[in-house]
Amino acid sequence: MRELKAFLESRRDEAAGLLAELIRFKSVAGEGEDEIQRFLAEKFRALGLEVSLELVPESIKEHPSYTRADRELDYSRRPNLFAAWKGSGPKSVILCAHSDVVPAGDWTEAFNPVIQNGRVIGRGAADDKGHIVSIYYALLALKELGRQPRKSVEVQVVIEEETGGNGALAAILTGHRADGVIVMESTDLSICPANRGAVWYKIEMQGVPVHMGRIREGVNAVEKMAEVIPVLRQYENKLIAESNHPLFREYEQPVQVNIGMIKGGDWPAMVAGWAEMEGGVGFLPTKSLEDVQKELTALLQNHPDPWVREKSKVSFPKLHNDAYETRLDDPLVTGLKESAVAAGASGKVTGLIVSCDARLYAKVGQMPTVVFGPDSIKQAHSREESLSIDEMVKASEIIARYLLA
Ligand SMILES: [Zn+2]
């Protein structure tokens, strides 16, 4: 195994160069993934893997876990990439990363990568292109060292992670399966078999709009909405009280009920005839997405004010990311931990509080799933996003060891 480490170390600069090359593709989620997918297909094909590019089927739009974007998405280009290598043993694993990135915003140099102080800087370096490079170099190392993996491996480079996970959903629904899934996102090389969930709610309140001169005859929807807020705060306290989960103890408050937006009324001299409130709820895998949706609905249905009970409506039209957890004694968790420790990483096992594609593999695909990857999630989506080359190479070693074990 010393030769594995030495080999990867010798290809360090080359790996950083590949990451810089990937960053130059402006693969913004939902529009720009096509070219990078074809480029990567060639790279994996040249390694001798069995490669296919599969378009996301239009029928995916009917699936309950499909994420709607602000605009209708076109799936006639932008394929998912699959690259398979058969192992000598009976077990299999999917290694998943995504090629789409969030927009550059006001970062003019986002797609002009720089390599500096042991880091590659550019949009997508830490989310998630460095992770594609980690996977690629793990497989390259095995090829060049003449080692066949014991586990059969399928690399999946998916599209549209940043807009909600439709690429991964398509991969799952078209039947790609394995005994375990490693979703590559930055976790400081910790192994994350559990993920917090998040759901966005929308509450609509009716009122009776009248001119303020006849204020007693109206019903003010904004004031009625205000009565909902203390009930939401109580609900947050309940979630906190129920959130004692061993994998989330390191977080100060892993669950939340947020009030994000309130709108209502039409005119200063009118009693507000309508109000709308939108917000988010973060929850642990001790609850399902459905539980949270039911509990929020019940809060309004059981509200002490009969007006709120009858004239309000809650819905969940936007983000709906389920929480999940994979058993700690699953071979995926124990095996990856062993490989991490063997490579000199901590092998820490912990929960994750940001959402990614993992929930889909775990919940829709019903496969044991962990999130794992180099460097810190703090880098993702930031201006000056960057990735540590050391960590990227370390992740390659851990993956290669896991495939051999
Ligand atoms: Zn990501």
Side-chain angles (χ1 to χ4, degrees):
M1 288 295 180
R2 224 184 296 137
E3 56 172 358
L4 180 63
K5 198 188 269 294
F7 177 88
L8 286 166
E9 210 35 61
S10 74
R11 298 299 182 94
R12 208 188 123 85
D13 292 351
E14 200 185 285
L18 176 60
L19 174 52
E21 203 172 349
L22 296 185
I23 290 169
R24 280 188 204 99
F25 288 91
K26 293 188 182 112
S27 52
V28 173
E31 48 192 62
E33 296 108 322
D34 193 22
E35 277 180 45
I36 191 170
Q37 293 295 78
R38 288 175 205 285
F39 173 84
L40 286 168
E42 278 319 305
K43 295 290 287 183
F44 283 105
R45 200 169 278 136
L47 278 187
L49 272 63
E50 198 176 303
V51 172
S52 62
L53 288 166
E54 295 178 17
L55 290 170
V56 172
E58 280 289 325
S59 60
I60 193 181
K61 294 183 177 173
E62 311 304 321
H63 194 275
S65 294
Y66 179 75
T67 304
R68 284 186 195 288
D70 297 335
R71 64 205 151 83
E72 186 76 358
L73 290 163
D74 173 16
Y75 291 113
S76 62
R77 297 175 304 115
R78 304 190 298 124
N80 282 327
L81 162 62
F82 302 91
W85 187 0
K86 184 132 182 51
S88 60
K91 294 287 181 192
S92 60
V93 64
I94 288 168
L95 300 174
C96 169
H98 62 90
S99 64
D100 59 299
V101 299
V102 295
D106 62 356
W107 185 11
T108 51
E109 296 306 305
F111 299 107
N112 293 322
V114 177
I115 301 175
Q116 211 172 52
N117 301 328
R119 305 186 70 86
V120 182
I121 307 162
R123 169 62 78 233
D127 187 14
D128 201 29
K129 291 176 172 175
H131 305 61
I132 300 173
V133 175
S134 287
I135 294 171
Y136 177 80
Y137 271 85
L139 299 178
L140 179 104
L142 296 182
K143 280 283 176 194
E144 301 251 330
L145 296 170
R147 307 283 301 266
Q148 185 191 7
R150 249 167 81 82
K151 296 184 181 77
S152 290
V153 51
E154 182 178 74
V155 179
Q156 299 187 352
V157 182
V158 298
I159 64 165
E160 273 186 36
E161 191 274 341
E162 298 294 355
T163 48
N166 294 330
L169 181 64
I172 294 157
L173 295 179
T174 51
H176 292 266
R177 295 199 65 79
D179 297 317
V181 183
I182 301 174
V183 174
M184 301 281 301
E185 295 278 0
S186 290
T187 65
D188 293 305
L189 299 177
S190 292
I191 294 134
C192 300
N195 203 166
R196 193 197 70 156
V199 61
W200 291 0
Y201 64 84
K202 177 177 180 179
I203 298 172
E204 292 163 273
M205 186 73 69
Q206 293 175 33
V208 177
V210 295
H211 190 273
M212 73 177 193
R214 299 191 288 129
I215 195 163
R216 295 282 160 228
E217 293 163 38
V219 176
N220 193 312
V222 169
E223 291 184 35
K224 292 295 177 190
M225 191 64 95
E227 291 179 26
V228 175
I229 294 173
V231 172
L232 289 176
R233 287 272 76 88
Q234 277 169 24
Y235 182 56
E236 184 184 61
N237 287 336
K238 176 174 174 293
L239 286 178
I240 292 168
E242 291 170 354
S243 70
N244 187 15
H245 188 295
L247 290 176
F248 292 90
R249 282 197 191 123
E250 70 174 273
Y251 300 105
E252 198 182 336
Q253 190 185 316
V255 296
Q256 313 80 20
V257 178
N258 186 50
I259 293 158
M261 295 153 67
I262 294 189
K263 293 187 282 195
D266 296 304
W267 189 250
M270 289 279 287
V271 169
W274 64 277
E276 266 179 32
M277 178 157 81
E278 290 183 70
V281 178
F283 56 98
L284 295 189
T286 44
K287 274 192 192 303
S288 71
L289 177 64
E290 265 189 351
D291 292 338
V292 175
Q293 290 176 332
K294 276 189 195 142
E295 288 172 1
L296 272 171
T297 308
L299 287 181
L300 294 172
Q301 280 168 355
N302 302 324
H303 196 281
D305 184 334
W307 184 274
V308 174
R309 290 203 293 272
E310 281 154 35
K311 303 292 182 183
S312 69
K313 193 184 106 189
V314 61
S315 58
F316 308 94
K318 291 182 185 165
L319 183 110
H320 39 74
N321 292 350
D322 215 337
Y324 79 87
E325 62 188 316
T326 292
R327 290 175 56 114
L328 294 183
D329 60 359
D330 190 280
L332 174 69
V333 181
T334 54
L336 191 59
K337 183 183 160 92
E338 273 167 34
S339 302
V341 170
S346 73
K348 181 174 158 186
V349 177
T350 186
L352 193 68
I353 59 166
V354 292
S355 290
C356 64
D357 281 341
R359 71 186 197 279
L360 295 165
Y361 290 93
K363 283 288 188 172
V364 181
Q366 292 287 308
M367 291 178 271
T369 303
V370 299
V371 184
F372 164 80
D375 218 331
S376 159
I377 193 68
K378 292 186 192 90
Q379 286 295 332
H381 304 193
S382 68
R383 213 171 183 279
E384 305 291 306
E385 176 180 347
S386 69
L387 189 76
S388 152
I389 301 167
D390 278 344
E391 290 246 325
M392 183 173 81
V393 172
K394 180 76 87 186
S396 284
E397 186 188 341
I398 295 168
I399 294 163
R401 283 173 179 272
Y402 180 72
L403 295 178
L404 287 172

